[in-house]
Amino acid sequence: MLHFDSAWRFESPGSLATPVAQEFLEIIGKLALGKQQVFEHFKRYFASAYGSVASQSSNASWAYSDLQYALDEAAKNAPLCINAFYTACQELNDGPVPNHELVNRILARHEEPYRIEPPNLIRLESGQPVTRPEVPASLAQQAQDLIQESFAESQRLLAEGRFRPAVQEILWLLETVSTAFQGVSISENSSIRGKYFNTIVDELRKKNQGTALDQIFGWLKTLHGYLSAPAGGGIRHGMDLKEGVATSEGEARLYCNLITSYISYLLAEYHRLTAAPAGKA
């Protein structure tokens, strides 16, 4: 049994998303292989979650139907339902069962704000989700798809509690987006010649010395440098084993939010430069 906020037992913090319950049911079906005793096993745990006692069904078909009812009732309280499913899996002595990582992936896929960190079930920090970067239509469709897919992957990793990979993914996306500026005109007689993140940002910053853009690009480089340093964020070039500190959940969310904001800003600046008439950037 998982440990969680005892208040959830008496007042539901919210119901479980229907697609999550459906995935739980599908997994149970794969585990049962038609065996009534497996349906009965899970039915007992779900019934207990909503304060009831399950009675034996007359056959496997009725056991499955009764299981569906018990799951639907338990799903009215998301954390108790998650606990019932996970605990029932761990207590099932009938072959391999899903581990907590699989359950977390299901929860993250459907944006359920819970995560299992054995022996605990925790509720994720509240807050508005990060807005997806608005990708300029002038970018090739392949580039647009890559940006959206990478952003979604970072958010999925973050929801699963894989904080360092989540920041790594969004940092990779930042560096990737910066390459869109290669060859872009920044004045009547010059264009971006750099091929890598630091040189590209340096050229953009030089063009805008003394302006807000200069400061913004400076902050961007500072964040990138810190996350790259082994004794700093330890995200890009590995973590210093003696001085490095693992990324916490709060830090990971902050980094992802900041980097996503910078990505959106870079994309807007790219759109401004590429949409402007020659010599007017």
Side-chain angles (χ1 to χ4, degrees), residues 15-28 46 71-72 75 77-79 81-83 85 102-114 116:
S15 59
L16 190 69
T18 300
V20 175
Q22 185 59 41
E23 288 207 42
F24 284 177
L25 188 62
E26 290 173 0
I27 290 173
I28 294 170
F46 288 130
L71 174 55
D72 288 342
N77 187 315
C81 186
I82 295 167
N83 174 63
F85 175 74
L102 174 60
V103 178
N104 284 341
R105 285 196 293 273
I106 294 172
L107 297 175
R109 183 158 55 244
H110 300 290
E111 300 182 347
E112 276 292 339
Y114 298 94
I116 298 173

PDB file of all heavy atoms in Angstrom, residues 15-28 46 71-72 75 77-79 81-83 85 102-114 116:
ATOM      1  N   SER A  15     -11.793  13.207  -9.350  1.00  0.00           N
ATOM      2  CA  SER A  15     -11.941  11.879  -9.946  1.00  0.00           C
ATOM      3  C   SER A  15     -10.798  11.574 -10.911  1.00  0.00           C
ATOM      4  O   SER A  15     -10.094  12.476 -11.373  1.00  0.00           O
ATOM      5  CB  SER A  15     -13.281  11.770 -10.672  1.00  0.00           C
ATOM      6  OG  SER A  15     -13.367  12.747 -11.694  1.00  0.00           O
ATOM      7  N   LEU A  16     -10.645  10.309 -11.200  1.00  0.00           N
ATOM      8  CA  LEU A  16      -9.612   9.849 -12.128  1.00  0.00           C
ATOM      9  C   LEU A  16     -10.131   9.994 -13.554  1.00  0.00           C
ATOM     10  O   LEU A  16     -11.298   9.686 -13.838  1.00  0.00           O
ATOM     11  CB  LEU A  16      -9.274   8.386 -11.841  1.00  0.00           C
ATOM     12  CG  LEU A  16      -8.058   7.792 -12.553  1.00  0.00           C
ATOM     13  CD1 LEU A  16      -6.775   8.403 -12.010  1.00  0.00           C
ATOM     14  CD2 LEU A  16      -8.036   6.270 -12.359  1.00  0.00           C
ATOM     15  N   ALA A  17      -9.273  10.464 -14.445  1.00  0.00           N
ATOM     16  CA  ALA A  17      -9.678  10.619 -15.846  1.00  0.00           C
ATOM     17  C   ALA A  17     -10.113   9.272 -16.416  1.00  0.00           C
ATOM     18  O   ALA A  17      -9.476   8.244 -16.169  1.00  0.00           O
ATOM     19  CB  ALA A  17      -8.526  11.193 -16.665  1.00  0.00           C
ATOM     20  N   THR A  18     -11.184   9.291 -17.179  1.00  0.00           N
ATOM     21  CA  THR A  18     -11.727   8.051 -17.752  1.00  0.00           C
ATOM     22  C   THR A  18     -10.696   7.270 -18.568  1.00  0.00           C
ATOM     23  O   THR A  18     -10.627   6.037 -18.454  1.00  0.00           O
ATOM     24  CB  THR A  18     -12.957   8.367 -18.616  1.00  0.00           C
ATOM     25  OG1 THR A  18     -13.958   8.984 -17.794  1.00  0.00           O
ATOM     26  CG2 THR A  18     -13.532   7.106 -19.245  1.00  0.00           C
ATOM     27  N   PRO A  19      -9.863   7.936 -19.391  1.00  0.00           N
ATOM     28  CA  PRO A  19      -8.862   7.170 -20.154  1.00  0.00           C
ATOM     29  C   PRO A  19      -7.863   6.429 -19.266  1.00  0.00           C
ATOM     30  O   PRO A  19      -7.377   5.361 -19.644  1.00  0.00           O
ATOM     31  CB  PRO A  19      -8.159   8.244 -20.995  1.00  0.00           C
ATOM     32  CG  PRO A  19      -9.150   9.350 -21.109  1.00  0.00           C
ATOM     33  CD  PRO A  19      -9.864   9.357 -19.795  1.00  0.00           C
ATOM     34  N   VAL A  20      -7.559   6.986 -18.087  1.00  0.00           N
ATOM     35  CA  VAL A  20      -6.645   6.308 -17.169  1.00  0.00           C
ATOM     36  C   VAL A  20      -7.307   5.040 -16.639  1.00  0.00           C
ATOM     37  O   VAL A  20      -6.698   3.962 -16.623  1.00  0.00           O
ATOM     38  CB  VAL A  20      -6.245   7.227 -15.995  1.00  0.00           C
ATOM     39  CG1 VAL A  20      -5.382   6.463 -14.992  1.00  0.00           C
ATOM     40  CG2 VAL A  20      -5.496   8.443 -16.506  1.00  0.00           C
ATOM     41  N   ALA A  21      -8.557   5.167 -16.206  1.00  0.00           N
ATOM     42  CA  ALA A  21      -9.289   4.001 -15.709  1.00  0.00           C
ATOM     43  C   ALA A  21      -9.400   2.936 -16.796  1.00  0.00           C
ATOM     44  O   ALA A  21      -9.281   1.734 -16.522  1.00  0.00           O
ATOM     45  CB  ALA A  21     -10.678   4.423 -15.230  1.00  0.00           C
ATOM     46  N   GLN A  22      -9.594   3.374 -18.038  1.00  0.00           N
ATOM     47  CA  GLN A  22      -9.698   2.427 -19.143  1.00  0.00           C
ATOM     48  C   GLN A  22      -8.381   1.688 -19.357  1.00  0.00           C
ATOM     49  O   GLN A  22      -8.370   0.475 -19.610  1.00  0.00           O
ATOM     50  CB  GLN A  22     -10.100   3.164 -20.425  1.00  0.00           C
ATOM     51  CG  GLN A  22     -10.347   2.259 -21.621  1.00  0.00           C
ATOM     52  CD  GLN A  22     -11.445   1.247 -21.383  1.00  0.00           C
ATOM     53  OE1 GLN A  22     -12.476   1.574 -20.796  1.00  0.00           O
ATOM     54  NE2 GLN A  22     -11.231   0.013 -21.817  1.00  0.00           N
ATOM     55  N   GLU A  23      -7.267   2.401 -19.223  1.00  0.00           N
ATOM     56  CA  GLU A  23      -5.966   1.736 -19.371  1.00  0.00           C
ATOM     57  C   GLU A  23      -5.726   0.757 -18.227  1.00  0.00           C
ATOM     58  O   GLU A  23      -5.153  -0.319 -18.436  1.00  0.00           O
ATOM     59  CB  GLU A  23      -4.839   2.774 -19.445  1.00  0.00           C
ATOM     60  CG  GLU A  23      -4.803   3.544 -20.758  1.00  0.00           C
ATOM     61  CD  GLU A  23      -3.416   4.052 -21.103  1.00  0.00           C
ATOM     62  OE1 GLU A  23      -2.433   3.293 -20.924  1.00  0.00           O
ATOM     63  OE2 GLU A  23      -3.303   5.210 -21.547  1.00  0.00           O
ATOM     64  N   PHE A  24      -6.155   1.121 -17.031  1.00  0.00           N
ATOM     65  CA  PHE A  24      -6.039   0.195 -15.900  1.00  0.00           C
ATOM     66  C   PHE A  24      -6.812  -1.089 -16.206  1.00  0.00           C
ATOM     67  O   PHE A  24      -6.325  -2.201 -15.968  1.00  0.00           O
ATOM     68  CB  PHE A  24      -6.597   0.829 -14.626  1.00  0.00           C
ATOM     69  CG  PHE A  24      -5.703   1.866 -13.993  1.00  0.00           C
ATOM     70  CD1 PHE A  24      -6.127   2.561 -12.858  1.00  0.00           C
ATOM     71  CD2 PHE A  24      -4.447   2.156 -14.505  1.00  0.00           C
ATOM     72  CE1 PHE A  24      -5.313   3.512 -12.256  1.00  0.00           C
ATOM     73  CE2 PHE A  24      -3.623   3.111 -13.915  1.00  0.00           C
ATOM     74  CZ  PHE A  24      -4.066   3.788 -12.787  1.00  0.00           C
ATOM     75  N   LEU A  25      -8.021  -0.926 -16.730  1.00  0.00           N
ATOM     76  CA  LEU A  25      -8.867  -2.088 -17.023  1.00  0.00           C
ATOM     77  C   LEU A  25      -8.239  -2.961 -18.105  1.00  0.00           C
ATOM     78  O   LEU A  25      -8.268  -4.200 -18.021  1.00  0.00           O
ATOM     79  CB  LEU A  25     -10.255  -1.614 -17.459  1.00  0.00           C
ATOM     80  CG  LEU A  25     -11.328  -2.697 -17.615  1.00  0.00           C
ATOM     81  CD1 LEU A  25     -11.585  -3.391 -16.279  1.00  0.00           C
ATOM     82  CD2 LEU A  25     -12.617  -2.093 -18.160  1.00  0.00           C
ATOM     83  N   GLU A  26      -7.650  -2.330 -19.106  1.00  0.00           N
ATOM     84  CA  GLU A  26      -7.003  -3.093 -20.180  1.00  0.00           C
ATOM     85  C   GLU A  26      -5.817  -3.893 -19.647  1.00  0.00           C
ATOM     86  O   GLU A  26      -5.594  -5.042 -20.055  1.00  0.00           O
ATOM     87  CB  GLU A  26      -6.548  -2.140 -21.286  1.00  0.00           C
ATOM     88  CG  GLU A  26      -7.702  -1.529 -22.073  1.00  0.00           C
ATOM     89  CD  GLU A  26      -7.238  -0.456 -23.044  1.00  0.00           C
ATOM     90  OE1 GLU A  26      -6.005  -0.200 -23.105  1.00  0.00           O
ATOM     91  OE2 GLU A  26      -8.098   0.127 -23.736  1.00  0.00           O
ATOM     92  N   ILE A  27      -5.064  -3.293 -18.741  1.00  0.00           N
ATOM     93  CA  ILE A  27      -3.918  -3.997 -18.151  1.00  0.00           C
ATOM     94  C   ILE A  27      -4.399  -5.189 -17.332  1.00  0.00           C
ATOM     95  O   ILE A  27      -3.825  -6.286 -17.397  1.00  0.00           O
ATOM     96  CB  ILE A  27      -3.086  -3.037 -17.281  1.00  0.00           C
ATOM     97  CG1 ILE A  27      -2.355  -2.027 -18.167  1.00  0.00           C
ATOM     98  CG2 ILE A  27      -2.081  -3.815 -16.427  1.00  0.00           C
ATOM     99  CD1 ILE A  27      -1.638  -0.934 -17.403  1.00  0.00           C
ATOM    100  N   ILE A  28      -5.467  -4.976 -16.569  1.00  0.00           N
ATOM    101  CA  ILE A  28      -6.015  -6.082 -15.769  1.00  0.00           C
ATOM    102  C   ILE A  28      -6.438  -7.227 -16.680  1.00  0.00           C
ATOM    103  O   ILE A  28      -6.194  -8.405 -16.380  1.00  0.00           O
ATOM    104  CB  ILE A  28      -7.208  -5.594 -14.922  1.00  0.00           C
ATOM    105  CG1 ILE A  28      -6.727  -4.592 -13.873  1.00  0.00           C
ATOM    106  CG2 ILE A  28      -7.902  -6.774 -14.242  1.00  0.00           C
ATOM    107  CD1 ILE A  28      -7.848  -3.870 -13.146  1.00  0.00           C
ATOM    108  N   PHE A  46     -10.472  -2.475  -5.498  1.00  0.00           N
ATOM    109  CA  PHE A  46     -11.245  -1.300  -5.909  1.00  0.00           C
ATOM    110  C   PHE A  46     -12.453  -1.093  -5.000  1.00  0.00           C
ATOM    111  O   PHE A  46     -12.797   0.043  -4.659  1.00  0.00           O
ATOM    112  CB  PHE A  46     -11.691  -1.433  -7.366  1.00  0.00           C
ATOM    113  CG  PHE A  46     -10.580  -1.267  -8.364  1.00  0.00           C
ATOM    114  CD1 PHE A  46     -10.382  -2.200  -9.375  1.00  0.00           C
ATOM    115  CD2 PHE A  46      -9.724  -0.173  -8.301  1.00  0.00           C
ATOM    116  CE1 PHE A  46      -9.357  -2.051 -10.298  1.00  0.00           C
ATOM    117  CE2 PHE A  46      -8.693  -0.010  -9.217  1.00  0.00           C
ATOM    118  CZ  PHE A  46      -8.508  -0.955 -10.218  1.00  0.00           C
ATOM    119  N   LEU A  71     -14.355  -0.463 -10.399  1.00  0.00           N
ATOM    120  CA  LEU A  71     -13.357   0.494 -10.882  1.00  0.00           C
ATOM    121  C   LEU A  71     -13.992   1.865 -11.100  1.00  0.00           C
ATOM    122  O   LEU A  71     -13.417   2.897 -10.725  1.00  0.00           O
ATOM    123  CB  LEU A  71     -12.728  -0.017 -12.177  1.00  0.00           C
ATOM    124  CG  LEU A  71     -11.756   0.921 -12.906  1.00  0.00           C
ATOM    125  CD1 LEU A  71     -10.628   1.375 -11.990  1.00  0.00           C
ATOM    126  CD2 LEU A  71     -11.188   0.229 -14.144  1.00  0.00           C
ATOM    127  N   ASP A  72     -15.177   1.889 -11.686  1.00  0.00           N
ATOM    128  CA  ASP A  72     -15.868   3.164 -11.915  1.00  0.00           C
ATOM    129  C   ASP A  72     -16.148   3.887 -10.601  1.00  0.00           C
ATOM    130  O   ASP A  72     -16.007   5.114 -10.512  1.00  0.00           O
ATOM    131  CB  ASP A  72     -17.186   2.924 -12.658  1.00  0.00           C
ATOM    132  CG  ASP A  72     -16.977   2.539 -14.116  1.00  0.00           C
ATOM    133  OD1 ASP A  72     -15.866   2.775 -14.635  1.00  0.00           O
ATOM    134  OD2 ASP A  72     -17.916   1.999 -14.731  1.00  0.00           O
ATOM    135  N   ALA A  75     -12.873   5.163  -9.088  1.00  0.00           N
ATOM    136  CA  ALA A  75     -12.306   6.264  -9.872  1.00  0.00           C
ATOM    137  C   ALA A  75     -12.871   7.623  -9.469  1.00  0.00           C
ATOM    138  O   ALA A  75     -12.338   8.657  -9.890  1.00  0.00           O
ATOM    139  CB  ALA A  75     -12.543   6.026 -11.360  1.00  0.00           C
ATOM    140  N   ASN A  77     -12.494   8.834  -6.746  1.00  0.00           N
ATOM    141  CA  ASN A  77     -11.432   9.384  -5.897  1.00  0.00           C
ATOM    142  C   ASN A  77     -10.105   8.943  -6.520  1.00  0.00           C
ATOM    143  O   ASN A  77      -9.676   7.801  -6.338  1.00  0.00           O
ATOM    144  CB  ASN A  77     -11.560   8.853  -4.467  1.00  0.00           C
ATOM    145  CG  ASN A  77     -10.582   9.517  -3.512  1.00  0.00           C
ATOM    146  OD1 ASN A  77      -9.408   9.679  -3.828  1.00  0.00           O
ATOM    147  ND2 ASN A  77     -11.054   9.877  -2.323  1.00  0.00           N
ATOM    148  N   ALA A  78      -9.478   9.838  -7.282  1.00  0.00           N
ATOM    149  CA  ALA A  78      -8.301   9.477  -8.080  1.00  0.00           C
ATOM    150  C   ALA A  78      -7.175   8.828  -7.276  1.00  0.00           C
ATOM    151  O   ALA A  78      -6.703   7.744  -7.643  1.00  0.00           O
ATOM    152  CB  ALA A  78      -7.787  10.703  -8.834  1.00  0.00           C
ATOM    153  N   PRO A  79      -6.698   9.445  -6.185  1.00  0.00           N
ATOM    154  CA  PRO A  79      -5.561   8.829  -5.487  1.00  0.00           C
ATOM    155  C   PRO A  79      -5.883   7.465  -4.893  1.00  0.00           C
ATOM    156  O   PRO A  79      -5.027   6.568  -4.908  1.00  0.00           O
ATOM    157  CB  PRO A  79      -5.207   9.847  -4.402  1.00  0.00           C
ATOM    158  CG  PRO A  79      -6.415  10.703  -4.251  1.00  0.00           C
ATOM    159  CD  PRO A  79      -7.057  10.746  -5.594  1.00  0.00           C
ATOM    160  N   CYS A  81      -7.999   5.316  -6.078  1.00  0.00           N
ATOM    161  CA  CYS A  81      -8.080   4.380  -7.197  1.00  0.00           C
ATOM    162  C   CYS A  81      -6.683   3.993  -7.681  1.00  0.00           C
ATOM    163  O   CYS A  81      -6.406   2.823  -7.956  1.00  0.00           O
ATOM    164  CB  CYS A  81      -8.884   5.005  -8.334  1.00  0.00           C
ATOM    165  SG  CYS A  81      -9.214   3.872  -9.709  1.00  0.00           S
ATOM    166  N   ILE A  82      -5.800   4.975  -7.779  1.00  0.00           N
ATOM    167  CA  ILE A  82      -4.417   4.700  -8.195  1.00  0.00           C
ATOM    168  C   ILE A  82      -3.750   3.766  -7.192  1.00  0.00           C
ATOM    169  O   ILE A  82      -3.076   2.797  -7.564  1.00  0.00           O
ATOM    170  CB  ILE A  82      -3.620   6.014  -8.312  1.00  0.00           C
ATOM    171  CG1 ILE A  82      -4.188   6.878  -9.438  1.00  0.00           C
ATOM    172  CG2 ILE A  82      -2.139   5.726  -8.559  1.00  0.00           C
ATOM    173  CD1 ILE A  82      -3.678   8.311  -9.425  1.00  0.00           C
ATOM    174  N   ASN A  83      -3.951   4.054  -5.915  1.00  0.00           N
ATOM    175  CA  ASN A  83      -3.377   3.212  -4.871  1.00  0.00           C
ATOM    176  C   ASN A  83      -3.920   1.785  -4.950  1.00  0.00           C
ATOM    177  O   ASN A  83      -3.161   0.810  -4.822  1.00  0.00           O
ATOM    178  CB  ASN A  83      -3.683   3.807  -3.498  1.00  0.00           C
ATOM    179  CG  ASN A  83      -3.230   2.908  -2.363  1.00  0.00           C
ATOM    180  OD1 ASN A  83      -2.045   2.637  -2.202  1.00  0.00           O
ATOM    181  ND2 ASN A  83      -4.187   2.421  -1.576  1.00  0.00           N
ATOM    182  N   PHE A  85      -5.141   0.177  -7.579  1.00  0.00           N
ATOM    183  CA  PHE A  85      -4.618  -0.518  -8.754  1.00  0.00           C
ATOM    184  C   PHE A  85      -3.167  -0.934  -8.544  1.00  0.00           C
ATOM    185  O   PHE A  85      -2.797  -2.089  -8.775  1.00  0.00           O
ATOM    186  CB  PHE A  85      -4.729   0.378  -9.989  1.00  0.00           C
ATOM    187  CG  PHE A  85      -4.097  -0.213 -11.215  1.00  0.00           C
ATOM    188  CD1 PHE A  85      -4.701  -1.262 -11.888  1.00  0.00           C
ATOM    189  CD2 PHE A  85      -2.885   0.271 -11.692  1.00  0.00           C
ATOM    190  CE1 PHE A  85      -4.108  -1.830 -13.022  1.00  0.00           C
ATOM    191  CE2 PHE A  85      -2.286  -0.281 -12.816  1.00  0.00           C
ATOM    192  CZ  PHE A  85      -2.900  -1.333 -13.483  1.00  0.00           C
ATOM    193  N   LEU A 102       5.561   2.419 -15.141  1.00  0.00           N
ATOM    194  CA  LEU A 102       4.506   2.277 -16.147  1.00  0.00           C
ATOM    195  C   LEU A 102       3.252   3.033 -15.713  1.00  0.00           C
ATOM    196  O   LEU A 102       2.629   3.739 -16.518  1.00  0.00           O
ATOM    197  CB  LEU A 102       4.178   0.803 -16.371  1.00  0.00           C
ATOM    198  CG  LEU A 102       2.983   0.528 -17.305  1.00  0.00           C
ATOM    199  CD1 LEU A 102       3.238   1.112 -18.687  1.00  0.00           C
ATOM    200  CD2 LEU A 102       2.696  -0.965 -17.400  1.00  0.00           C
ATOM    201  N   VAL A 103       2.894   2.895 -14.447  1.00  0.00           N
ATOM    202  CA  VAL A 103       1.718   3.615 -13.943  1.00  0.00           C
ATOM    203  C   VAL A 103       1.929   5.120 -14.075  1.00  0.00           C
ATOM    204  O   VAL A 103       1.022   5.853 -14.490  1.00  0.00           O
ATOM    205  CB  VAL A 103       1.431   3.234 -12.477  1.00  0.00           C
ATOM    206  CG1 VAL A 103       0.236   4.031 -11.948  1.00  0.00           C
ATOM    207  CG2 VAL A 103       1.164   1.741 -12.351  1.00  0.00           C
ATOM    208  N   ASN A 104       3.128   5.585 -13.767  1.00  0.00           N
ATOM    209  CA  ASN A 104       3.417   7.021 -13.884  1.00  0.00           C
ATOM    210  C   ASN A 104       3.312   7.499 -15.326  1.00  0.00           C
ATOM    211  O   ASN A 104       2.858   8.618 -15.589  1.00  0.00           O
ATOM    212  CB  ASN A 104       4.814   7.327 -13.341  1.00  0.00           C
ATOM    213  CG  ASN A 104       4.863   7.331 -11.828  1.00  0.00           C
ATOM    214  OD1 ASN A 104       3.836   7.450 -11.165  1.00  0.00           O
ATOM    215  ND2 ASN A 104       6.050   7.190 -11.269  1.00  0.00           N
ATOM    216  N   ARG A 105       3.740   6.671 -16.266  1.00  0.00           N
ATOM    217  CA  ARG A 105       3.627   7.062 -17.675  1.00  0.00           C
ATOM    218  C   ARG A 105       2.163   7.191 -18.090  1.00  0.00           C
ATOM    219  O   ARG A 105       1.805   8.090 -18.858  1.00  0.00           O
ATOM    220  CB  ARG A 105       4.358   6.054 -18.569  1.00  0.00           C
ATOM    221  CG  ARG A 105       5.873   6.184 -18.519  1.00  0.00           C
ATOM    222  CD  ARG A 105       6.534   5.459 -19.677  1.00  0.00           C
ATOM    223  NE  ARG A 105       6.368   4.016 -19.607  1.00  0.00           N
ATOM    224  CZ  ARG A 105       7.181   3.204 -18.939  1.00  0.00           C
ATOM    225  NH1 ARG A 105       8.203   3.699 -18.267  1.00  0.00           N
ATOM    226  NH2 ARG A 105       6.978   1.898 -18.942  1.00  0.00           N
ATOM    227  N   ILE A 106       1.336   6.298 -17.597  1.00  0.00           N
ATOM    228  CA  ILE A 106      -0.097   6.383 -17.895  1.00  0.00           C
ATOM    229  C   ILE A 106      -0.678   7.668 -17.318  1.00  0.00           C
ATOM    230  O   ILE A 106      -1.421   8.397 -17.989  1.00  0.00           O
ATOM    231  CB  ILE A 106      -0.841   5.158 -17.325  1.00  0.00           C
ATOM    232  CG1 ILE A 106      -0.400   3.886 -18.048  1.00  0.00           C
ATOM    233  CG2 ILE A 106      -2.357   5.339 -17.454  1.00  0.00           C
ATOM    234  CD1 ILE A 106      -0.932   2.609 -17.427  1.00  0.00           C
ATOM    235  N   LEU A 107      -0.333   7.969 -16.077  1.00  0.00           N
ATOM    236  CA  LEU A 107      -0.840   9.178 -15.429  1.00  0.00           C
ATOM    237  C   LEU A 107      -0.367  10.426 -16.166  1.00  0.00           C
ATOM    238  O   LEU A 107      -1.144  11.360 -16.397  1.00  0.00           O
ATOM    239  CB  LEU A 107      -0.377   9.222 -13.969  1.00  0.00           C
ATOM    240  CG  LEU A 107      -0.882   8.092 -13.065  1.00  0.00           C
ATOM    241  CD1 LEU A 107      -0.246   8.197 -11.684  1.00  0.00           C
ATOM    242  CD2 LEU A 107      -2.401   8.114 -12.954  1.00  0.00           C
ATOM    243  N   ALA A 108       0.903  10.443 -16.550  1.00  0.00           N
ATOM    244  CA  ALA A 108       1.455  11.608 -17.243  1.00  0.00           C
ATOM    245  C   ALA A 108       0.828  11.777 -18.618  1.00  0.00           C
ATOM    246  O   ALA A 108       0.558  12.901 -19.054  1.00  0.00           O
ATOM    247  CB  ALA A 108       2.969  11.465 -17.372  1.00  0.00           C
ATOM    248  N   ARG A 109       0.590  10.669 -19.292  1.00  0.00           N
ATOM    249  CA  ARG A 109       0.025  10.724 -20.644  1.00  0.00           C
ATOM    250  C   ARG A 109      -1.345  11.401 -20.648  1.00  0.00           C
ATOM    251  O   ARG A 109      -1.708  12.087 -21.605  1.00  0.00           O
ATOM    252  CB  ARG A 109      -0.068   9.307 -21.209  1.00  0.00           C
ATOM    253  CG  ARG A 109      -0.567   9.236 -22.633  1.00  0.00           C
ATOM    254  CD  ARG A 109      -0.166   7.952 -23.323  1.00  0.00           C
ATOM    255  NE  ARG A 109      -0.574   6.759 -22.614  1.00  0.00           N
ATOM    256  CZ  ARG A 109       0.279   5.873 -22.093  1.00  0.00           C
ATOM    257  NH1 ARG A 109       1.584   6.070 -22.180  1.00  0.00           N
ATOM    258  NH2 ARG A 109      -0.162   4.788 -21.482  1.00  0.00           N
ATOM    259  N   HIS A 110      -2.072  11.225 -19.564  1.00  0.00           N
ATOM    260  CA  HIS A 110      -3.418  11.804 -19.483  1.00  0.00           C
ATOM    261  C   HIS A 110      -3.483  12.989 -18.518  1.00  0.00           C
ATOM    262  O   HIS A 110      -4.569  13.391 -18.095  1.00  0.00           O
ATOM    263  CB  HIS A 110      -4.415  10.721 -19.084  1.00  0.00           C
ATOM    264  CG  HIS A 110      -4.467   9.578 -20.057  1.00  0.00           C
ATOM    265  ND1 HIS A 110      -4.989   9.712 -21.324  1.00  0.00           N
ATOM    266  CD2 HIS A 110      -4.008   8.297 -19.963  1.00  0.00           C
ATOM    267  CE1 HIS A 110      -4.888   8.550 -21.962  1.00  0.00           C
ATOM    268  NE2 HIS A 110      -4.296   7.686 -21.166  1.00  0.00           N
ATOM    269  N   GLU A 111      -2.298  13.520 -18.179  1.00  0.00           N
ATOM    270  CA  GLU A 111      -2.175  14.739 -17.376  1.00  0.00           C
ATOM    271  C   GLU A 111      -2.854  14.623 -16.011  1.00  0.00           C
ATOM    272  O   GLU A 111      -3.439  15.582 -15.508  1.00  0.00           O
ATOM    273  CB  GLU A 111      -2.716  15.947 -18.152  1.00  0.00           C
ATOM    274  CG  GLU A 111      -1.972  16.190 -19.461  1.00  0.00           C
ATOM    275  CD  GLU A 111      -2.464  17.410 -20.213  1.00  0.00           C
ATOM    276  OE1 GLU A 111      -3.538  17.946 -19.858  1.00  0.00           O
ATOM    277  OE2 GLU A 111      -1.783  17.835 -21.156  1.00  0.00           O
ATOM    278  N   GLU A 112      -2.763  13.439 -15.417  1.00  0.00           N
ATOM    279  CA  GLU A 112      -3.234  13.269 -14.043  1.00  0.00           C
ATOM    280  C   GLU A 112      -2.153  13.813 -13.104  1.00  0.00           C
ATOM    281  O   GLU A 112      -0.985  13.445 -13.233  1.00  0.00           O
ATOM    282  CB  GLU A 112      -3.484  11.788 -13.735  1.00  0.00           C
ATOM    283  CG  GLU A 112      -4.838  11.289 -14.169  1.00  0.00           C
ATOM    284  CD  GLU A 112      -5.976  11.894 -13.358  1.00  0.00           C
ATOM    285  OE1 GLU A 112      -5.737  12.381 -12.241  1.00  0.00           O
ATOM    286  OE2 GLU A 112      -7.119  11.871 -13.857  1.00  0.00           O
ATOM    287  N   PRO A 113      -2.506  14.673 -12.157  1.00  0.00           N
ATOM    288  CA  PRO A 113      -1.490  15.336 -11.317  1.00  0.00           C
ATOM    289  C   PRO A 113      -0.989  14.492 -10.151  1.00  0.00           C
ATOM    290  O   PRO A 113      -0.879  14.973  -9.018  1.00  0.00           O
ATOM    291  CB  PRO A 113      -2.244  16.572 -10.823  1.00  0.00           C
ATOM    292  CG  PRO A 113      -3.654  16.104 -10.696  1.00  0.00           C
ATOM    293  CD  PRO A 113      -3.866  15.161 -11.864  1.00  0.00           C
ATOM    294  N   TYR A 114      -0.687  13.225 -10.413  1.00  0.00           N
ATOM    295  CA  TYR A 114      -0.173  12.344  -9.365  1.00  0.00           C
ATOM    296  C   TYR A 114       1.019  11.564  -9.898  1.00  0.00           C
ATOM    297  O   TYR A 114       1.139  11.319 -11.102  1.00  0.00           O
ATOM    298  CB  TYR A 114      -1.256  11.358  -8.892  1.00  0.00           C
ATOM    299  CG  TYR A 114      -2.460  12.031  -8.285  1.00  0.00           C
ATOM    300  CD1 TYR A 114      -3.575  12.320  -9.065  1.00  0.00           C
ATOM    301  CD2 TYR A 114      -2.473  12.402  -6.944  1.00  0.00           C
ATOM    302  CE1 TYR A 114      -4.677  12.963  -8.528  1.00  0.00           C
ATOM    303  CE2 TYR A 114      -3.571  13.045  -6.393  1.00  0.00           C
ATOM    304  CZ  TYR A 114      -4.665  13.322  -7.186  1.00  0.00           C
ATOM    305  OH  TYR A 114      -5.749  13.969  -6.649  1.00  0.00           O
ATOM    306  N   ILE A 116       3.747   8.207  -8.517  1.00  0.00           N
ATOM    307  CA  ILE A 116       4.157   7.235  -7.507  1.00  0.00           C
ATOM    308  C   ILE A 116       5.666   7.316  -7.333  1.00  0.00           C
ATOM    309  O   ILE A 116       6.420   7.177  -8.301  1.00  0.00           O
ATOM    310  CB  ILE A 116       3.749   5.806  -7.915  1.00  0.00           C
ATOM    311  CG1 ILE A 116       2.226   5.693  -8.025  1.00  0.00           C
ATOM    312  CG2 ILE A 116       4.284   4.789  -6.911  1.00  0.00           C
ATOM    313  CD1 ILE A 116       1.749   4.359  -8.589  1.00  0.00           C
TER     314      ILE A 116
END
